[in-house]
Amino acid sequence: MSVYLDNAATTPVCPQAAQAALEVMTEGYGNPSSGYAAGQAAAARLQADREAVAQALGCRPEELFFTSCGTEGDNWAILGAARAGKRLGRHIITTAVEHSAVLEPVEALEGEGWTVTRLKPDKTGHISPEDFAAALRSDTALVSMMLVNNETGAVLPVAQCARLAKAHNPQLLFHTDAVQAFLKLPFTPEELGVDLLTVSGHKIRAPKGIGALWIRSGVKLPPLLLGGGQEQGARPGTEPTAQIAALAAAVRAWTPEDRARLAAVKAYALERLAAVPGVEIPCPGDAPHICAVSLPGYPAEMLVRDLSDRGIWVSSGSACHRGKPSRVFAALGLPKRTLMGMLRISFSPATARADIDALTGALTAVLRERIPMR
Ligand code: PLP
């Protein structure tokens, strides 16, 4: 039996989402742009699904644009906003702990002559609003700050920084990557005060290959793709109706109790992990589903393999950095031995206390058998 504790990397698809995708693939397969009955039925279902996701996000359905993944949403937001906001200036503020789906397009813009300020985190992965305020410049056109970090679980001060940014210049565009926050934290884009917000399906029990970008109405974001008139012409491409149906089903299946369950199991995990001699908890995380712990002196990749041999699946950081040390953990300025042994543990509402007990048991065994490096 295996214990899956890497829900920040991806989640198993819930039965409701799988069922919805199957229905659409086999029965409701019409193209929403077709004028006959099957097409119209597909368009009606697409609209209902859009409304369900919009309701969960607390936005209007017409502000929600389906994308192929969180990466596409982040790329579109950053490259589109940079193009749209060029006349304001060519300065971007972001953080050193963003996902590569943000850092890479920002780096591409830097290559085109933009100036970038990357705010540094403190030892627990938090960003200071004072540092943010000090980074604002007269030519700042774009900000991208994630809401929940995918490796530390830290919640970044997006609402506070968006307020500061808009007071500084109401014209600049503020993007937040909310891929790890959607459904896990209570928020709406309006409450955050942002202009652009990214979500992704596979972190919330929908399949991989579906996401959405929320674009505040009135914000004109040039499209990344050119083609047909789908998604108001802003994101052409025949709508992936099966994935969208699955995303909507996963959202409908999520309950407020799920958030409470997450918080309870994480609290239990932190308590049990703190009791294992040799385990440190540098990043308890604020989000209810992610924390990062360390076994100082033990190489994380070895720990991942040792735990996997015992049926426990955790990661040494973002799944997108396989084999390489985590850039986010490295940015925390932790002691070398602590950094070496960092593991991300991430939960789902289905994670049981027995799963946590299995984890702590396996960690204890590994610590007993392996000798730490000096
Ligand atoms: N942003 C964050 C914070 C993530 O954790 C991820 C996925 O790991 C992404 C963006 C990318 O999302 P996707 O895998 O849907 O492209």
Side-chain angles (χ1 to χ4, degrees):
M1 222 200 54
S2 54
V3 173
Y4 184 64
L5 292 171
D6 199 16
N7 291 276
T10 196
T11 56
V13 173
C14 67
Q16 295 92 325
Q19 181 59 34
L22 183 66
E23 271 166 31
V24 170
M25 284 191 281
T26 55
E27 292 161 34
Y29 52 82
N31 185 326
S33 299
S34 301
Y36 46 83
Q40 294 311 293
R45 176 153 195 169
L46 174 61
Q47 179 57 18
D49 290 338
R50 191 186 307 280
E51 283 167 12
V53 180
Q55 194 184 4
L57 190 57
C59 70
R60 290 195 298 211
E62 60 275 18
E63 296 175 314
L64 203 59
F65 296 81
F66 290 115
T67 60
S68 64
C69 56
T71 299
E72 183 190 331
D74 285 345
N75 271 256
W76 182 15
I78 288 159
L79 299 175
R83 254 197 269 163
K86 236 184 338 216
R87 62 191 167 72
L88 288 183
R90 283 156 74 89
H91 175 234
I92 302 176
I93 304 178
T94 188
T95 78
V97 296
E98 300 295 315
H99 192 272
S100 9
V102 165
L103 288 182
E104 294 288 326
V106 165
E107 211 171 298
L109 290 171
E110 201 171 23
E112 292 171 20
W114 287 68
T115 310
V116 180
T117 303
R118 294 177 181 82
L119 301 172
K120 294 198 172 40
D122 67 13
K123 284 195 163 44
T124 54
H126 291 93
I127 297 290
S128 131
E130 289 73 31
D131 288 355
F132 177 79
L136 284 164
R137 302 185 347 186
S138 58
D139 61 343
T140 306
L142 170 63
V143 178
S144 185
M145 178 183 285
M146 69 199 325
L147 189 49
V148 170
N149 183 269
N150 50 305
E151 296 184 59
T152 62
V155 174
L156 303 197
V158 169
Q160 209 176 336
C161 293
R163 264 198 308 279
L164 289 166
K166 293 292 175 172
H168 176 79
N169 181 355
Q171 301 292 311
L172 65 73
L173 290 177
F174 200 115
H175 165 249
T176 188
D177 172 339
V179 165
Q180 294 291 350
F182 184 38
L183 302 186
K184 318 279 169 49
L185 291 185
F187 70 87
T188 68
E190 209 57 58
E191 283 164 8
L192 294 175
V194 298
D195 302 296
L196 302 158
L197 182 146
T198 310
V199 299
S200 172
H202 72 106
K203 313 294 184 178
I204 55 160
R205 308 188 71 198
K208 296 159 190 64
I210 184 68
L213 181 66
W214 172 84
I215 305 178
R216 175 187 290 287
S217 70
V219 171
K220 294 268 167 290
L221 201 66
L224 274 194
L225 305 180
L226 303 177
Q230 295 92 348
E231 300 294 285
Q232 305 172 51
R235 203 291 186 176
T238 304
E239 300 88 343
T241 48
Q243 275 109 317
I244 292 170
L247 173 62
V251 158
R252 288 189 192 100
W254 187 271
T255 65
E257 291 78 52
D258 285 332
R259 205 179 288 150
R261 258 184 232 121
L262 274 176
V265 81
K266 183 175 159 186
Y268 180 71
L270 289 176
E271 186 190 311
R272 291 298 315 271
L273 285 161
V276 178
V279 172
E280 285 177 11
I281 309 182
C283 303
D286 316 296
H289 63 304
I290 304 175
C291 63
V293 305
S294 176
L295 277 66
Y298 293 85
E301 289 303 326
M302 180 201 83
L303 292 171
V304 169
R305 279 195 305 275
D306 278 2
L307 290 173
S308 177
D309 290 346
R310 291 173 163 81
I312 314 282
W313 295 340
V314 300
S315 80
S316 56
S318 164
C320 304
H321 291 279
R322 263 182 312 186
K324 286 191 246 154
S326 156
R327 177 179 39 71
V328 171
F329 291 152
L332 303 181
L334 298 166
K336 206 167 142 221
R337 283 166 57 79
T338 304
L339 179 62
M340 178 194 284
M342 291 290 281
L343 294 175
R344 173 182 69 182
I345 301 167
S346 51
F347 314 97
S348 91
T351 307
R353 285 181 168 220
D355 297 333
I356 306 301
D357 295 341
L359 167 71
T360 51
L363 283 173
T364 308
V366 171
L367 282 162
R368 203 182 305 123
E369 285 166 22
R370 293 277 191 181
I371 298 162
M373 289 169 82
R374 290 192 174 274

